[in-house]
Amino acid sequence: EVQLQASGGGLVQAGGSLRLSCAASGFTFDDRAIGWFRQAPGKERERVSCISSSDGSTYYADSVRDRFTISRDKTKNTVFLQMNSLKAEDTAVYYCATTLWDDVSCTVATIGGMYGYWGQGTQVTVSS
């Protein structure tokens, strides 16, 4: 079965860094786009970043652009989200997710409802 495991969250001061990991199994890793989402109490779920399958193109929300970097390690079936210059507003539960079907690009899969499989989430807390 499709499984995604998010890890790497924790407590960090503003301006610090964290690297989140998403370990994937149960599907052809290179054929699926993988996205990172975050949700905090009282706020709407937000797509933070995404990496496509075929050409490796990436997406970043305006709120994290130039601070976060998404990457894919094909030998380990793992996607990473490097988060630098963290702000208190980045505090949330972060989830990784993948689409239901192969060959769906990040440009097409723009909202959470288009992703069929989700990891359990990892808490990121940024203190000010």
Side-chain angles (χ1 to χ4, degrees), residues 1-4 24-34 52-54 72 74 77 98-103 117:
E1 70 274 16
V2 173
Q3 290 187 319
L4 301 169
S25 63
F27 61 95
T28 304
F29 180 72
D30 293 345
D31 291 343
R32 298 280 182 90
I34 292 180
S52 296
S53 59
S54 59
R72 183 192 298 257
K74 296 180 180 180
N77 284 1
T98 192
T99 55
L100 281 168
W101 308 279
D102 292 344
D103 302 318
Y117 304 98

Side-chain angles (χ1 to χ4, degrees), residues 8-11 18 20 39 41 90-94 121-126:
L11 175 64
L18 286 172
L20 305 184
Q39 188 163 34
D90 296 317
T91 296
V93 177
Y94 285 71
T122 184
Q123 176 71 48
V124 172
T125 303
V126 184

Side-chain angles (χ1 to χ4, degrees), residues 24-123:
S25 63
F27 61 95
T28 304
F29 180 72
D30 293 345
D31 291 343
R32 298 280 182 90
I34 292 180
W36 284 98
F37 296 78
R38 67 185 181 187
Q39 188 163 34
K43 299 182 67 176
E44 296 291 328
R45 183 174 59 189
E46 176 186 23
R47 188 173 70 145
V48 174
S49 187
C50 181
I51 185 165
S52 296
S53 59
S54 59
D55 60 2
S57 61
T58 58
Y59 162 85
Y60 298 97
D62 290 342
S63 57
V64 306
R65 193 180 308 277
D66 299 324
R67 298 189 297 118
F68 292 8
T69 303
I70 191 169
S71 61
R72 183 192 298 257
D73 187 338
K74 296 180 180 180
T75 66
K76 299 179 179 179
N77 284 1
T78 301
V79 168
F80 302 99
L81 185 67
Q82 179 67 46
M83 306 187 297
N84 298 326
S85 301
L86 284 163
K87 306 174 181 179
E89 293 76 24
D90 296 317
T91 296
V93 177
Y94 285 71
Y95 301 88
C96 61
T98 192
T99 55
L100 281 168
W101 308 279
D102 292 344
D103 302 318
V104 179
S105 70
C106 294
T107 302
V108 173
T110 58
I111 61 175
M114 296 181 178
Y115 296 78
Y117 304 98
W118 296 77
Q120 82 284 5
T122 184
Q123 176 71 48

